[in-house]
Amino acid sequence: MDWLTLFEMQEQLDKRIQSEHNLTGNQFDERLLALLVELGELANETRCFKFWSTKGPSAQVTILEEYVDGVHFLLSLGLALDYKKDRFVEGDYYLTATDAFLDVYNKTNVFAISRTEQSYDVLIGAYLALGATLGFTQEMIFKAYVAKNEANHVRQDNGY
């Protein structure tokens, strides 16, 4: 995956939002909370934890779109701390999506407290492993990110 391109695209979007909304600072806590919210929305679309329900998951394209929402905030958090890299290592494969979600939540909390580059790398790796667990290739993720980034710019054009 071309991480530097993704970081560059996210940086352009972040700068635009910062400028157009007259923001100061890096809104780290807000970005972190947004990541957690997006992770919950993603879990909800997979329905992997809804043992009480017979309804299946949302369409794969919907789940992928929710997944790349999380990628946006992961990149944004990395930019806020100047952790821009060209490569990340995918974490270990998970047996279930529920295991993957719980681990990403845990790694997000560790990162929230430590804010180290190492904890960021581990979080990205876990998120990539979650994506693999959900059936996404890095090529699928990259293409979906590019499309969603463009949609986010259109949203800003329309006063989102």
Side-chain angles (χ1 to χ4, degrees), residues 101-114:
F101 279 106
L102 290 172
D103 194 45
V104 172
Y105 271 112
N106 287 332
K107 286 180 170 53
T108 302
N109 288 328
V110 168
F111 172 64
I113 293 165
S114 69

Side-chain angles (χ1 to χ4, degrees), residues 14 23 31 43 73 87 100 115 117 121-122 137 140 150:
D14 287 355
L23 300 173
R31 293 169 204 257
F73 287 106
R87 188 172 177 274
R115 299 182 185 192
E117 189 169 358
D121 291 353
V122 168
T137 65
M140 292 168 69
E150 290 173 6

Side-chain angles (χ1 to χ4, degrees), residues 86-133:
D86 65 348
R87 188 172 177 274
F88 293 95
V89 177
E90 186 176 300
D92 293 333
Y93 184 78
Y94 297 102
L95 293 178
T96 69
T98 299
D99 290 340
F101 279 106
L102 290 172
D103 194 45
V104 172
Y105 271 112
N106 287 332
K107 286 180 170 53
T108 302
N109 288 328
V110 168
F111 172 64
I113 293 165
S114 69
R115 299 182 185 192
T116 65
E117 189 169 358
Q118 180 184 9
S119 64
Y120 179 72
D121 291 353
V122 168
L123 172 56
I124 295 278
Y127 200 77
L128 289 171
L130 168 62
T133 301

